[in-house]
Amino acid sequence: HVQLVESGGGSVQAGGSLRLSCEFRGGSVSEHCMGWYRQPTTRAREPVACIDVDGTPAYAWHARQRFTISQDSEKRHLILQMNSLKPEDSGMYFCAYDADCAGGHVPVGSEWNWRGQGTQVTVS
């Protein structure tokens, strides 16, 4: 049984930064892709970023040049560093596990087999 626990959300002014963390509990973490997606208040769910089993990252267009996804050496913690935040980045951010990330594809929410409870990000 896989459990994903997010932390690090909060409120920040436009142009600021936040660092989201996701702890992976249970299962064999090295077997599948991990990533983040978000649920904005007034838009459909959006992919954000993912990192494949070989460590290759991929980003949705809105996250490029501003967000960085990474894992610790044991792959038990997934990090999303978000810089130059904009109000349109506001929403609930979900850590997710096990989806097809081949070829730089960044999965949308419904493609992931496991997800956490989410952490709220508010940019004003």
Side-chain angles (χ1 to χ4, degrees):
H1 180 74
V2 171
Q3 186 179 12
L4 303 169
V5 181
E6 302 100 334
S7 62
S11 296
V12 66
Q13 290 188 338
S17 299
L18 282 173
R19 183 175 182 266
L20 306 184
S21 180
C22 170
E23 181 182 0
F24 180 98
R25 300 175 180 176
S28 179
V29 64
S30 62
E31 290 184 349
H32 300 290
C33 175
M34 288 189 73
W36 297 87
Y37 69 94
R38 68 188 185 186
Q39 175 65 73
T41 303
T42 58
R43 303 192 305 275
R45 282 179 298 183
E46 298 174 342
V48 176
C50 62
I51 189 163
D52 210 342
V53 290
D54 64 357
T56 301
Y59 299 91
W61 66 269
H62 61 77
R64 293 170 189 160
Q65 308 301 322
R66 299 188 301 128
F67 295 3
T68 302
I69 189 170
S70 62
Q71 283 177 309
D72 64 2
S73 58
E74 296 182 348
K75 298 188 177 181
R76 288 287 171 180
H77 290 86
L78 182 71
I79 305 298
L80 184 68
Q81 177 67 43
M82 305 188 294
N83 299 326
S84 302
L85 284 162
K86 307 173 183 179
E88 51 263 44
D89 292 317
S90 297
M92 188 70 78
Y93 281 69
F94 296 88
C95 176
Y97 175 70
D98 189 5
D100 181 6
C101 302
H105 172 65
V106 185
V108 299
S110 59
E111 295 180 82
W112 296 98
N113 285 318
W114 300 93
R115 57 191 54 80
Q117 293 298 308
T119 185
Q120 180 68 38
V121 171
T122 303
V123 185
S124 60

